[in-house]
Amino acid sequence: INQQNGFLFKPSDHQELADKIIYLLQRPGERKLLGQGGLTYVQQFSAENIVAQWEEIYKKVLNKKNN
């Protein structure tokens, strides 16, 4: 998510990428915040969360089948 866990830029815009890297090199606090935002974002994709989501889907399907 732009400016919450990283930055978006056009794929072919090397200058914009370089500018973002320099921006982050000069702002350690911002780097840390983006890193924490990234960690928070990816935790929703942990094995435990994915398994729980699949279990919920299976339960719903089985409940519909039994009704």
Side-chain angles (χ1 to χ4, degrees):
I1 302 171
N2 195 35
Q3 298 182 359
Q4 291 181 16
N5 57 19
F7 290 110
L8 297 176
F9 55 91
K10 295 176 190 139
S12 60
D13 193 340
H14 305 287
Q15 184 60 51
E16 189 175 7
L17 171 60
D19 292 344
K20 300 295 185 188
I21 291 170
I22 292 167
Y23 175 86
L24 290 172
L25 285 171
Q26 295 172 341
R27 294 168 179 82
E30 182 77 14
R31 280 196 317 266
K32 186 172 183 172
L33 287 174
L34 289 176
Q36 290 170 342
L39 180 59
T40 299
Y41 181 75
V42 300
Q43 286 173 339
Q44 68 183 319
F45 303 107
S46 71
E48 293 172 356
N49 285 341
I50 298 300
V51 167
Q53 290 173 14
W54 277 106
E55 285 176 343
E56 202 55 41
I57 291 168
Y58 286 134
K59 287 177 187 177
K60 287 179 182 179
V61 169
L62 290 173
N63 283 338
K64 286 183 180 182
K65 185 177 181 180
N66 291 332
N67 289 333

